[in-house]
Amino acid sequence: RIARHLHVPAEPSFARSSEETGAVAEPPEQRLDVLVDGEWVKILVDASGEALHDRGWRQDRGAKMPLKESVAAGLLHSLGWAEPPDRVGAAAAPDAASRFRALVDPFCGSGTIPIEAALLSIGMPAHFLSGRSFALQRWPAFEPGTWGAVMGEMARRAERADARRGSVPLIVASDRDAGAITSAQANARGAGVADLIEFRQCSVSDVAPPRRRASPRGDNGQPGLLVTNPPWGVRS
């Protein structure tokens, strides 16, 4: 019933008219979220379309209950692995190498945590490699020029990210399940960071601290991180 009442007033707001003929095109599909709290009603317009947690690099979607990419990135940000995006200026770099010697995920599953760690350590903009579109690009008020400027800045950041690949700390992803390792490797290739992650098939009881390796900046006694999403509950 709510959807029926919203459809009539909302539809003209998303319809585009042709600049040449003035004809109004059929409006694109647009999601509206309605939140009812007592006497208050909030109507939210979805500007993204596809879920924002999906970065576009996941090649193998057969993993059971994979951690969302955005959750993994938020966890790593909270641990100081990289600066939050709003603190990274045009010339700044998320510098995990100056803070940590290594990161280990002993229950890597499909590789979400190590992959996001690798992407954050070089400063690759989220979604840049996915080539996805957003719902707001179909709005009548969408400004292609402004969007082009934003994407141009993202392209420059991506170029700087490629230049930082040599300063990434050691990232180790291990799991006792061979299928999980295969899935994680495929996803890492999809994200373009397979060369930045060391994959190992072993039980958590066999995981050992990673060996120290030569760093372009030397080893100043930085700590390492063990970050993981361990198995939990009963899985079917």
Side-chain angles (χ1 to χ4, degrees):
R1 184 176 177 180
I2 293 177
R4 194 165 57 245
H5 281 286
L6 284 176
H7 177 77
V8 174
E11 187 177 39
S13 300
F14 298 100
R16 285 179 178 267
S17 60
S18 171
E19 295 182 358
E20 296 180 357
T21 65
V24 178
E26 184 73 18
E29 182 176 321
Q30 176 62 52
R31 173 175 168 171
L32 301 177
D33 293 326
V34 180
L35 305 178
V36 180
D37 183 10
E39 296 180 353
W40 292 90
V41 177
K42 290 184 179 180
I43 301 175
L44 308 177
V45 182
D46 178 20
S48 62
E50 296 178 27
L52 287 175
H53 73 80
D54 189 345
R55 311 291 207 205
W57 52 252
R58 198 175 291 279
Q59 304 295 304
D60 185 351
R61 298 183 179 272
K64 294 182 179 179
M65 304 171 70
L67 189 67
K68 289 183 178 180
E69 296 91 311
S70 55
V71 173
L75 176 63
L76 292 163
H77 277 305
S78 70
L79 295 171
W81 180 258
E83 289 289 343
D86 59 343
R87 297 182 187 174
V88 179
D95 197 357
S98 67
R99 300 184 182 92
F100 301 102
R101 180 168 57 87
L103 180 145
V104 177
D105 181 356
F107 299 102
C108 74
S110 59
T112 308
I113 291 175
I115 290 171
E116 286 296 318
L119 292 170
L120 285 172
S121 67
I122 60 177
M124 181 63 70
H127 298 292
F128 182 77
L129 299 176
S130 68
R132 60 161 289 170
S133 62
F134 295 83
L136 62 87
Q137 292 176 264
R138 299 187 292 273
W139 292 358
F142 175 70
E143 298 180 356
T146 302
W147 185 260
V150 172
M151 293 305 296
E153 173 58 27
M154 293 302 100
R156 288 187 287 274
R157 291 194 182 193
E159 290 179 2
R160 292 194 292 270
D162 283 334
R164 298 186 194 114
R165 300 179 78 89
S167 61
V168 175
L170 178 64
I171 300 175
V172 179
S174 66
D175 201 289
R176 70 178 184 178
D177 186 272
I181 293 297
T182 299
S183 175
Q185 288 174 324
N187 289 333
R189 287 192 294 271
V193 294
D195 59 317
L196 303 180
I197 302 172
E198 182 178 317
F199 294 95
R200 302 175 183 174
Q201 183 189 348
C202 64
S203 174
V204 65
S205 59
D206 295 325
V207 174
R211 296 179 180 178
R212 296 179 181 271
R213 68 179 183 183
S215 169
R217 304 183 183 180
D219 186 349
N220 298 318
Q222 302 103 317
L225 278 180
L226 190 151
V227 188
T228 194
N229 180 33
W232 55 274
V234 178
R235 301 194 179 190
S236 58

